[in-house]
């Protein structure tokens, strides 16, 4: 992911998504189940406006299942359809198509009432911030590898539809929107989960955030992973303890804080600390 979101890019991304919206019946808004709020685009409600929408909490396989359930209930309380999915394995994908069909039923019944005998398939667009799994989901729905994983911003080509069974057609290029950068904590969460590049924020700062979060919300997993008898209050001490335990040392045997930061973030992203959720109700 190499996109730099300057105001011009944001305006262009918004324009492109708005154009695509004209072609479709329903939006699948992909978010990261570990950070279902922080991984939403700040203008998504304004951009999507009146189109029917389903929120897909993707990478649910990596998120804390209890917290994911709370988020689904949270969205349901606001009459927003939200479904936990895993685009890699396909879990939840059938439910997503079923819910979309149900949501569009009134629209298609109207078409039938107007005398259209065989209504066309539902047309859908997948939108989301980079790295949230849009291409993976498109590939999964298409059943073969047609969508390129990774992003190619600025590359426009003719719109193509991917047929998903008889009932659904998907635009082959997703709508790519930017994440919320203004809020520092959101930035740390995006970086911790790997949604934004490690060079955007200071790696040690991100690891400080992540370790503080784990100390509060997942202390036992932190202790177990790094064989800590207890978790020190002092964050530098925690870096030292982990660094010594895991051999993250520089010349002279002093702890190398960059190495500790890299180790901790890699462990989080590869689920060495189990399934974690960083946005909490
Ligand atoms: P895009 O930028 O939104 O198109 O995201 P990609 O489809 O390229 O996915 C970004 C990364 O997330 C890739 O490494 C995918 O393999 C991974 N990924 C996508 N969906 C899932 C999922 O449901 N679970 C897990 N564990 N990884 C996923």
């Amino acid at each position: 992911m190499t996109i730099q979101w300057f105001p011009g890019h944001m305006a262009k991304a918004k324009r492109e998504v708005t154009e695509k919206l004209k072609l479709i019946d329903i939006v699948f808004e992909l978010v990261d189940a570990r950070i279902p709020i922080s991984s939403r685009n700040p203008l998504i409600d304004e951009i999507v406006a009146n189109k029917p929408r389903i929120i897909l909490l993707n990478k649910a396989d990596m998120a804390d299942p209890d917290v994911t359930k709370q988020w689904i209930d949270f969205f349901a309380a606001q009459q927003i359809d939200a479904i936990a999915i895993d685009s890699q394995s396909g879990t939840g994908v059938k439910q997503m198509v079923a819910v979309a069909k149900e949501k569009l039923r009134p629209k298609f019944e109207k078409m039938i009432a107007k005398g259209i005998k065989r209504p066309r398939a539902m047309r859908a667009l997948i939108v989301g911030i980079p790295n949230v799994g849009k291409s993976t989901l498109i590939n999964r729905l298409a059943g073969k590898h047609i969508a390129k994983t990774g992003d190619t911003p600025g590359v426009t080509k003719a719109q193509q539809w991917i047929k998903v069974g008889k009932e659904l057609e998907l635009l082959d290029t997703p709508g790519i929107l930017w994440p919320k950068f203004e809020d520092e904590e959101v930035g740390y969460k995006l970086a911790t989960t790997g949604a934004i590049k490690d060079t955007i924020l200071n790696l040690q700062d991100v690891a400080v955030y992540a370790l503080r979060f784990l100390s509060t919300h997942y202390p036992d997993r932190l202790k177990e992973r790094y064989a800590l008898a207890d978790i020190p209050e002092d964050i530098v001490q925690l870096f030292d303890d982990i660094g010594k335990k895991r051999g993250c040392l520089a010349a002279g045997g002093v702890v190398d804080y960059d190495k500790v930061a890299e180790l901790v973030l890699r462990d989080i992203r590869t689920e060495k600390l189990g399934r974690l959720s960083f946005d909490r109700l």
Side-chain angles (χ1 to χ4, degrees):
M1 204 262 298
T2 53
I3 303 176
Q4 296 287 331
W5 290 105
F6 303 117
H9 284 130
M10 295 188 190
K12 184 162 177 270
K14 187 177 167 188
R15 227 168 24 240
E16 283 178 3
V17 171
T18 306
E19 276 304 307
K20 287 176 199 246
L21 286 174
K22 290 180 188 160
L23 307 171
I24 55 108
D25 302 304
I26 190 160
V27 173
F28 292 121
E29 182 194 348
L30 221 54
V31 300
D32 187 319
R34 296 168 294 175
I35 45 170
I37 302 299
S38 301
S39 58
R40 295 187 84 187
N41 172 272
L43 300 182
I44 189 75
D45 292 333
E46 186 192 310
I47 294 170
V48 171
N50 297 323
K51 286 280 175 191
R53 176 176 19 155
I54 299 173
I55 295 181
L56 303 173
L57 286 83
N58 192 39
K59 307 194 189 185
D61 55 305
M62 300 182 85
D64 187 327
D66 294 336
V67 181
T68 299
K69 189 171 177 313
Q70 288 170 17
W71 280 117
I72 295 204
D73 293 345
F74 165 86
F75 287 120
Q78 300 174 52
Q79 274 79 50
I80 297 171
D81 290 298
I83 300 167
I85 69 164
D86 165 2
S87 296
Q88 260 176 358
S89 76
T91 307
V93 168
K94 265 200 185 131
Q95 189 194 355
M96 147 195 170
V97 177
V99 172
K101 196 177 163 192
E102 199 49 41
K103 234 177 146 56
L104 291 177
R105 188 187 294 279
K107 179 171 178 171
F108 281 86
E109 277 176 355
K110 251 189 218 161
M111 284 186 191
I112 294 167
K114 278 187 190 158
I116 300 168
K117 279 205 194 78
R118 270 171 150 269
R120 57 174 174 73
M122 317 181 265
R123 290 184 183 147
L125 172 69
I126 289 172
V127 304
I129 66 169
N131 265 329
V132 75
K134 298 179 295 300
S135 307
T136 308
L137 179 59
I138 292 174
N139 285 335
R140 159 67 47 186
L141 287 167
K144 54 183 163 36
H145 289 269
I146 35 89
K148 204 168 136 263
T149 29
D151 300 297
T152 47
V155 179
T156 46
K157 55 174 185 175
Q159 303 290 352
Q160 301 229 345
W161 297 95
I162 296 165
K163 282 191 189 303
V164 184
K166 280 190 187 131
E167 291 169 327
L168 181 67
E169 282 175 12
L170 196 66
L171 263 187
D172 72 336
T173 51
I176 304 168
L177 290 167
W178 63 97
K180 293 184 258 193
F181 289 125
E182 298 82 1
D183 183 318
E184 192 176 57
E185 194 178 348
V186 169
Y188 287 139
K189 289 179 183 183
L190 290 165
T192 300
T193 54
I196 58 174
K197 276 214 297 189
D198 280 341
T199 46
I200 293 179
L201 295 175
N202 177 286
L203 204 65
Q204 286 187 27
D205 285 348
V206 178
V208 165
Y209 169 81
L211 283 171
R212 286 214 168 106
F213 185 91
L214 293 172
S215 305
T216 307
H217 294 279
Y218 299 99
D220 293 341
R221 296 203 210 165
L222 191 58
K223 281 195 234 169
E224 193 190 328
R225 176 71 194 164
Y226 302 111
L228 306 168
D230 56 309
I231 301 171
E233 285 271 316
D234 178 16
I235 194 75
V236 179
Q237 187 63 51
L238 181 55
F239 266 73
D240 278 333
D241 289 355
I242 294 174
K244 279 177 197 151
K245 279 264 158 60
R246 305 305 295 265
C248 302
L249 305 175
V254 293
V255 170
D256 182 330
Y257 296 117
D258 278 333
K259 275 191 190 157
V260 176
E262 275 170 29
L263 172 88
V264 167
L265 293 172
R266 192 171 55 238
D267 282 353
I268 289 172
R269 293 170 192 163
T270 54
E271 290 180 89
K272 296 291 189 311
L273 288 118
R275 297 167 71 174
L276 304 170
S277 290
F278 295 91
D279 276 347
R280 297 298 184 121
L281 280 133

